[in-house]
Amino acid sequence: MQVVLVRNIILTFLTFGIAYAIHKIIMRSIDKFMSTIGKEVKAPKTLSLIIGFLIYGFAIAVILAIWDVNLAPYLAGLGISGVVLGLAFQEPLTNFLSGILVLVTRKVFEGEVVDVDGLTGIVDVIKMNHTHLKTFDGKLILIPNRKVWAGTVTKFWPGKYRRIDIDVTIDYSVNMEKGVSVLKRVLEEEPLVVKDESVGNAVVFKSFDSKGVTLTVQFWTARETYFDTLNAVALRIKSSFEEEGIKIPYTVVEVIGLKS
């Protein structure tokens, strides 16, 4: 009896060890193959999760066979408990099936910046029950997959470029045509601004405000240089306005003293 017990324990650990090794070998082989053809795996974490789920599921079945565990009598004897368990697992099962649909249809995928019903962030990994979303302020949000599948998903950067809008107000004393001309020159001279036929940079009128004329500067940049381009254009606008003597109005508060 003790010999059989020791043998089963050894085989159990051996089975898990083999499953772990197979999982690692498959993932390394996929990475190596994708590198050979010059591409990368789009969703490595999610792919690893799916492959691991299949491998370890098979390993558990083998372990049950090693210990001669027959689940049929237990399943048959559940009776009314099966209904209770069915209701209890209804939500996880719905999330699991929704997760498969999300993965197959690629409604969202790892590394993508999305908004899911008002929750915005970067997709970290799509797991069996939840999609993990990392917000820009460092939070991790776990969204049930059924909400991802049924909800409205907004993809912020479906292409390689992203547009930036900056509102610039110039004083009424400044010639409007001159202001537009200087802003257009800024966009032409800034190397981080994309000059591509597929996109268009522009300076357009927005409104007449109490302090001056507001113009909207619209320009495109590569996704990875978004913040660098935003800062570079803002700095160039300020320095160009100073060189051209163009004033940016600001609020002046007058304090009138009362005579006693």
Side-chain angles (χ1 to χ4, degrees):
M1 186 67 181
Q2 290 183 346
V3 174
V4 175
L5 180 62
V6 172
R7 185 201 66 181
N8 289 349
I9 292 174
I10 293 174
L11 289 176
T12 299
F13 281 104
L14 186 61
T15 302
F16 270 121
I18 293 173
Y20 176 81
I22 292 174
H23 185 204
K24 292 297 181 182
I25 290 171
I26 291 176
M27 290 307 300
R28 288 175 184 171
S29 299
I30 292 174
D31 290 337
K32 187 176 180 180
F33 174 76
M34 296 300 288
S35 299
T36 302
I37 63 177
K39 295 184 179 180
E40 61 179 10
V41 181
K42 292 293 184 181
K45 294 180 181 178
T46 303
L47 180 62
S48 176
L49 183 69
I50 294 173
I51 293 175
F53 180 80
L54 295 174
I55 292 174
Y56 288 111
F58 181 76
I60 291 173
V62 172
I63 292 170
L64 291 175
I66 291 172
W67 290 91
D68 294 326
V69 176
N70 185 7
L71 296 179
Y74 299 100
L75 294 175
L78 283 176
I80 192 64
S81 300
V83 178
V84 177
L85 288 174
L87 293 174
F89 283 101
Q90 182 178 1
E91 182 80 7
L93 183 59
T94 303
N95 287 326
F96 174 73
L97 295 175
S98 298
I100 293 176
L101 291 172
V102 170
L103 290 171
V104 171
T105 61
R106 292 182 63 79
K107 187 170 184 178
V108 299
F109 52 87
E110 288 178 24
E112 191 177 31
V113 179
V114 298
D115 179 281
V116 182
D117 289 341
L119 299 173
T120 305
I122 302 173
V123 179
D124 181 49
V125 62
I126 303 170
K127 293 196 173 182
M128 293 303 169
N129 282 307
H130 295 84
T131 294
H132 291 202
L133 198 71
K134 284 187 176 180
T135 64
F136 295 109
D137 57 355
K139 296 176 183 176
L140 179 63
I141 302 177
L142 276 61
I143 307 176
N145 286 332
R146 63 179 179 80
K147 290 189 176 181
V148 178
W149 174 246
T152 301
V153 175
T154 302
K155 301 192 176 188
F156 285 98
W157 303 334
K160 59 181 179 178
Y161 301 139
R162 183 180 178 185
R163 198 182 80 178
I164 304 176
D165 293 354
I166 297 180
D167 289 339
V168 180
T169 303
I170 59 177
D171 195 86
Y172 279 116
S173 62
V174 178
N175 183 283
M176 186 172 168
E177 291 184 358
K178 181 180 179 181
V180 172
S181 176
V182 171
L183 291 173
K184 286 184 176 180
R185 190 178 74 236
V186 166
L187 297 182
E188 293 172 359
E189 294 177 351
E190 176 52 51
L192 291 177
V193 173
V194 173
K195 287 84 173 178
D196 194 317
E197 294 182 355
S198 62
V199 297
N201 304 312
V203 178
V204 296
F205 168 81
K206 182 178 182 181
S207 63
F208 292 112
D209 297 327
S210 59
K211 296 181 290 183
V213 180
T214 298
L215 303 171
T216 300
V217 185
Q218 299 177 340
F219 54 97
W220 295 80
T221 183
R223 291 174 55 180
E224 60 272 12
T225 60
Y226 177 84
F227 292 107
D228 291 336
T229 307
L230 177 60
N231 291 334
V233 171
L235 291 171
R236 194 178 285 269
I237 288 174
K238 186 175 185 301
S239 61
S240 297
F241 275 14
E242 290 174 351
E243 292 174 2
E244 297 292 336
I246 298 177
K247 296 180 180 179
I248 299 177
Y250 54 89
T251 302
V252 178
V253 180
E254 295 184 1
V255 180
I256 301 176
L258 299 176
K259 295 183 179 179
S260 56

